[in-house]
Amino acid sequence: MESDFFGMGVPKETFEQAGRQQFIELLAAGLLPESRVLEFGCGCLRIDYWLIRFLDPECFYGIEPAKNRVEHGREYLFSPAMLAEKKPQFDYNAVFDSSMFQQQFDFFLARSIWTHASKRQIEATLDSFVRDASESAVFLASYFPPESPADDYMGDQWVGTSHESDELGIVRHSLAWIQSQCLARGLVIEEREGLDCDSQCWLHIRREAHPIQAE
């Protein structure tokens, strides 16, 4: 399977591990079979291999502008019978807009999205969360912190492979800026300890009225 997924925008060496780790993190955050989950940048469905099998039918929703990646994941990771049973829903917009689903979600997920997105695009994901999340929802997002002030990305474009580009790249955003954007939207943020298998840092974000409980 590794060779089949090469070129789909994910490191083939950590394909399975990253999906499994993220699924475990969602379970620790309270994921239930009946939870509704929205993933920004679901790509070739490496996390969703676990999620779609676990969740009840019509509970997984993915946004991914590179439609060929979703089709690749559907073909190689799921049988037609499972897709018919679980009924995952997809949209292919490139503006991080979850409103077309007309649902309220219990979990938002953005793995390796803020590591390529501009600040304007990160704001769009937060705006979707504020509008379309349930009152007690959690947003899990990964990012790379700057190694120096000059590393804090100020451009206005996506950097890295996408539906429009085959060029590799990553960006970094300061935690202080992320915190300011969350605060402006009535959101609270918690840093998760440690790094994932692709060396990314993780944040848990909730509405201020539902603070994150200490474990």
Side-chain angles (χ1 to χ4, degrees):
M1 184 175 71
E2 290 183 345
S3 60
D4 290 327
F5 279 88
F6 186 71
M8 285 290 108
V10 296
K12 64 178 181 178
E13 296 82 7
T14 58
F15 185 93
E16 180 180 358
Q17 182 183 5
R20 185 174 61 250
Q21 282 184 346
Q22 187 55 65
F23 178 58
I24 292 170
E25 183 73 9
L26 284 162
L27 289 172
L31 182 73
L32 299 171
E34 61 268 28
S35 300
R36 291 191 184 274
V37 179
L38 184 286
E39 183 182 8
F40 291 117
C42 57
C44 55
L45 312 181
R46 64 171 168 175
I47 297 168
D48 315 317
Y49 171 89
W50 309 88
L51 278 175
I52 291 172
R53 285 169 167 80
F54 174 80
L55 293 172
D56 289 343
E58 300 184 51
C59 281
F60 175 80
Y61 296 76
I63 293 176
E64 173 54 66
K67 187 175 181 180
N68 65 309
R69 295 183 181 180
V70 175
E71 292 174 343
H72 201 76
R74 287 168 63 98
E75 178 181 357
Y76 283 91
L77 298 179
F78 302 94
S79 68
M82 177 167 289
L83 292 172
E85 175 193 353
K86 294 293 187 173
K87 298 181 176 64
Q89 305 295 307
F90 299 98
D91 189 83
Y92 304 102
N93 78 79
V95 293
F96 307 98
D97 181 7
S98 56
S99 65
M100 79 294 301
F101 293 124
Q102 297 185 336
Q103 297 285 347
Q104 281 201 321
F105 299 99
D106 304 301
F107 289 90
F108 276 61
L109 177 63
R111 187 191 192 283
S112 199
I113 300 303
W114 291 10
T115 57
H116 302 282
S118 68
K119 286 180 166 54
R120 174 180 55 83
Q121 291 168 329
I122 291 175
E123 289 183 65
T125 67
L126 292 172
D127 289 340
S128 281
F129 178 73
V130 170
R131 183 190 59 239
D132 296 326
S134 65
E135 284 301 312
S136 59
V138 60
F139 188 171
L140 280 70
S142 68
Y143 81 111
F144 287 125
E147 297 178 345
S148 71
D151 286 337
D152 193 359
Y153 180 58
M154 295 299 176
D156 199 40
Q157 301 296 320
W158 178 270
V159 176
T161 61
S162 71
H163 62 301
E164 298 176 328
S165 174
D166 293 325
E167 186 175 347
L168 299 173
I170 63 165
V171 297
R172 298 173 183 271
H173 297 281
S174 76
L175 181 60
W177 178 83
I178 296 171
Q179 289 173 324
S180 72
Q181 295 304 309
C182 289
L183 180 63
R185 292 166 172 81
L187 304 174
V188 293
I189 189 169
E190 176 194 36
E191 297 178 77
R192 304 300 290 175
E193 294 184 1
L195 303 174
D196 73 6
C197 61
D198 294 326
S199 301
Q200 299 186 27
C201 302
W202 278 92
L203 303 172
H204 282 199
I205 301 166
R206 293 183 187 268
R207 298 185 193 278
E208 195 169 13
H210 294 271
I212 299 167
Q213 301 298 317
E215 294 180 356

